[in-house]
Structures are given as structure tokens and as C-alpha cells.
Amino acid sequence: MKVTQILIGFLIVVSSCTIKEQSSRQAPEGMILIPEGNFMLGGKTDDAYWNELPAHEVQVASFLMDATEVTNREYKAFVDATGYQTVAERDVDWEEIKKQLPPGVEKPHDSLLRAGSLVFQATKGAVNLNDYTQWWQWTVGANWQHPEGPRSDINDRMNHPVVHIAYEDAQAYAEWIGKRLPTEAEWEWAAMGGTKDAKYPWGNDPADKATDKANFWQGSFPYEDRKLDGYGSTAPVKSYSPNGYGLYDMAGNVWELCADKYDVSWFSKQAQQKEIINPQGSPRFNDPTEPGTSKHVARGGSFLCNDSYCSGYRTSRRMGTSMDSGLNHTGFRCVVDL
């Protein structure tokens, strides 16, 4: 036998062993290995929103993803270790905020510029669903430690997802723990759980038949929540069954921040490309409804989502959220490159 043949045989054996080692490698505790794959990113059903279209084929590499949303306990460990102060815990910078507002808007009283965040308040009856200001209330003292305001706390919610998280708050945590935020392509691929074109992370059962599968609004939004899923606000992580990959709460509970800049026209531009591998999102912020506001993509919906309003629990549903603000239904989870 020639030396080259022996060498080739040796390389084949080594390669085979390496492949076996990689396939048997376990993900770190609390993370799930998401395989690489090709899929149609974006809306694939008749109820898709215009900003989810057109659906277009992309390819993503394998990666690791947190099995759950980052919890209050996990975020507290980060704050205790670093002394980090979230955006909601800092007084409002009027000079920065007014850049996002139409010209001529007067500065509010200083009492309203104190540290705080937006908190959901149920209305007394049916309202115009195009005017979200009717159910969001600026609440001084609301932050991740006080989700509904200064009189609330998280003492009995340490296993709930952390909320009132702005983009830079999520980024700071991810950097501290050695991870990053997912791209929206990675997020949607993971949410589908290995099921081709799954409408929801739990499959294709309609939302009204899935009250035991996720935490979202049942009833008439925003004034009557029947709480058929057991919760009127956030639920502890792992309260419902995971999707096909083993990921929990990819539908409902809290909206999850992604790394991508929110650009309403990005899918149209992407769809013109022939081969899209590991898309990183748009290079610009673009939301004509709020042209002065820099937004990042959020995915997955929250405990406030309902088909009459946003149906955010669909795998392809995407929303833009301001970089400098959090709400009491906004959180995140992290990923790690392989």
C-alpha cells in the first residue's frame, strides 16, 4: 500500500471521529443547539402583515440559543456583579428625546422626565386599536425591579422574564455573559422548532385552541383578559411545553429583542438577492410612522398579544421597538456562535 493511501485512510478515520464528537457534543446548561438550515423568512400565510413580506429564502448556520428568556434572577446577577443601571432607571434626557418628536413639541414638566417606563393599563371598554397611547401609561419608578411601578417588586417573580429592558440593557447583559442577541433570521428559524413553515412555535393549531401552549391575551383587548392560559401578566419561564427544539416561550410572555435594525422595507430588498446566508439585517433604521426613532426588531409577542390587535405569537411576526425605551412586556434571550 502506498504512503498516500495510508495517509488518506488515516485522515478519513480522524475526520469520522471528529464528526462523531461534534454530533455528540452537548450544549452548555441552559442552552439549546439549533441546527443549520434553509427556510423562508417572513410571512407565509394570508394573515401576514405587510412588514413581513415578501417571504424569501435564507440560510442560517448552527448556533446555541438560551432555552428560556433571561429571567429576573439572571439579570439581577448581572446587575449585582457590575452595578449596571438600566435605561428605565435613569432620568429622561429631554434633549435626546425631542430629536425623535415632531418640531414644536413643548418640553413636559420635569416631574414627567424622572426615571420611569411604560406600563400597560387595561382600558374600561373598547377603544380604537390604532391608538396605543390609550393603554400605555408613563410610570415614574417603573423598571425591571418594579414592573408595575414603585409599589411593585419581583420578590416572587425571580423565575419570570426580566422586563422594561431597552436594547442597550440587553446588549450589556449579553456582552457580560459572553453571548449576543440573535438576528431575526436566527430567531424565526429557532421559533419554528424544526417544523416546516410552522405558523406558531407550537405548530399550526389556531390561537383559540392553544391557550395551554403560550401566555397571551384571551378575550377582548385591551379591556378584558379571560386569562385562560393562567396568567394576566408574565408567566414563569417553562410554564408551557417547549417547541420542537426544546425552546420555551418563543410565543407570548414577552417580546424578545433581536440584533437587527428595524427597517420596514428590508424584506423587499432582501428578496431581490439570489443567495442570503446568515443575514444580519438592514444597515439603517427605517419606520416612516416614527421617522426620528431608532428601532430594533422584536419577535415572539407577549402576554398582551391577541389576534384582534397584533397576533405577535406567530413565528414571522415582527415589530420595531425604540432603542432607548423598554416596556413591561419587553425582554430578550441570547445566543452563542459555534
Side-chain angles (χ1 to χ4, degrees):
M1 180 179 288
K2 295 181 180 180
V3 173
T4 53
Q5 291 176 312
I6 296 174
L7 179 58
I8 289 172
F10 173 74
L11 291 175
I12 290 174
V13 171
V14 170
S15 176
S16 176
C17 291
T18 302
I19 291 171
K20 289 179 180 179
E21 287 174 3
Q22 290 177 341
S23 63
S24 63
R25 184 190 303 163
Q26 293 185 344
E29 183 177 358
M31 301 198 81
I32 301 294
L33 177 62
I34 309 300
E36 65 181 4
N38 294 65
F39 74 107
M40 295 300 291
L41 173 67
K44 296 170 281 292
T45 58
D46 293 339
D47 53 0
Y49 280 50
W50 62 275
N51 68 346
E52 303 169 36
L53 301 171
H56 51 287
E57 186 174 6
V58 302
Q59 177 181 331
V60 294
S62 183
F63 59 96
L64 296 167
M65 178 175 255
D66 287 345
T68 71
E69 295 149 336
V70 174
T71 64
N72 285 315
R73 178 176 290 106
E74 291 168 326
Y75 206 80
K76 183 177 185 300
F78 158 60
V79 172
D80 289 346
T82 64
Y84 181 82
Q85 187 179 55
T86 62
V87 170
E89 295 171 287
R90 311 169 203 164
D91 286 341
V92 177
D93 184 344
W94 170 247
E95 294 302 317
E96 190 62 35
I97 290 294
K98 74 177 184 181
K99 296 176 184 177
Q100 305 176 24
L101 302 173
V105 175
E106 294 185 4
K107 179 181 178 180
H109 192 274
D110 287 345
S111 62
L112 296 177
L113 297 178
R114 292 166 53 200
S117 190
L118 291 170
V119 175
F120 172 78
Q121 296 289 337
T123 61
K124 295 181 179 179
V127 296
N128 178 3
L129 295 181
N130 292 319
D131 182 8
Y132 57 81
T133 63
Q134 296 181 90
W135 56 84
W136 286 112
Q137 180 177 331
W138 176 257
T139 305
V140 172
N143 54 55
W144 73 276
Q145 298 183 83
H146 307 285
E148 290 79 45
R151 295 185 179 180
S152 63
D153 59 54
I154 57 172
N155 293 340
D156 61 349
R157 288 183 271 187
M158 296 306 288
N159 205 34
H160 287 232
V162 65
V163 295
H164 291 295
I165 295 297
Y167 181 78
E168 65 181 85
D169 303 330
Q171 283 281 70
Y173 173 90
E175 183 177 345
W176 173 75
I177 205 166
K179 301 179 182 181
R180 63 173 174 84
L181 294 180
T183 65
E184 67 171 322
E186 289 172 332
W187 194 98
E188 186 172 323
W189 171 244
M192 291 164 61
T195 302
K196 181 177 174 56
D197 296 340
K199 185 174 182 180
Y200 308 102
W202 62 76
N204 292 314
D205 291 340
D208 60 1
K209 306 289 187 183
T211 57
D212 61 336
K213 293 180 171 63
N215 179 18
F216 56 93
W217 187 284
Q218 294 96 37
S220 300
F221 184 85
Y223 61 94
E224 180 193 20
D225 184 4
R226 297 172 62 194
K227 304 177 185 177
L228 299 178
D229 54 31
Y231 297 91
S233 183
T234 58
V237 297
K238 296 187 178 182
S239 291
Y240 308 92
S241 298
N243 73 357
Y245 286 145
L247 300 168
Y248 294 86
D249 300 305
M250 295 297 281
N253 220 12
V254 296
W255 282 97
E256 300 182 13
L257 292 164
C258 294
D260 306 50
K261 293 177 179 177
Y262 180 65
D263 179 351
V264 297
S265 63
W266 185 239
F267 278 20
S268 295
K269 295 175 182 177
Q270 283 279 93
Q272 297 173 19
Q273 298 184 31
K274 291 184 178 180
E275 187 176 44
I276 307 172
I277 301 174
N278 295 326
Q280 301 299 304
S282 175
R284 65 168 186 158
F285 300 106
N286 176 30
D287 184 352
T289 64
E290 295 180 288
T293 304
S294 299
K295 298 181 178 181
H296 279 82
V297 173
R299 290 295 200 115
S302 77
F303 62 87
L304 295 177
C305 282
N306 178 270
D307 275 344
S308 67
Y309 175 53
C310 75
S311 62
Y313 32 69
R314 290 187 294 104
T315 56
S316 62
R317 184 71 171 102
R318 60 199 302 259
M319 181 182 77
T321 185
S322 172
M323 284 183 64
D324 57 2
S325 63
L327 303 91
N328 71 317
H329 72 156
T330 304
F332 69 109
R333 77 178 72 211
C334 298
V335 299
V336 171
D337 294 315
L338 288 178

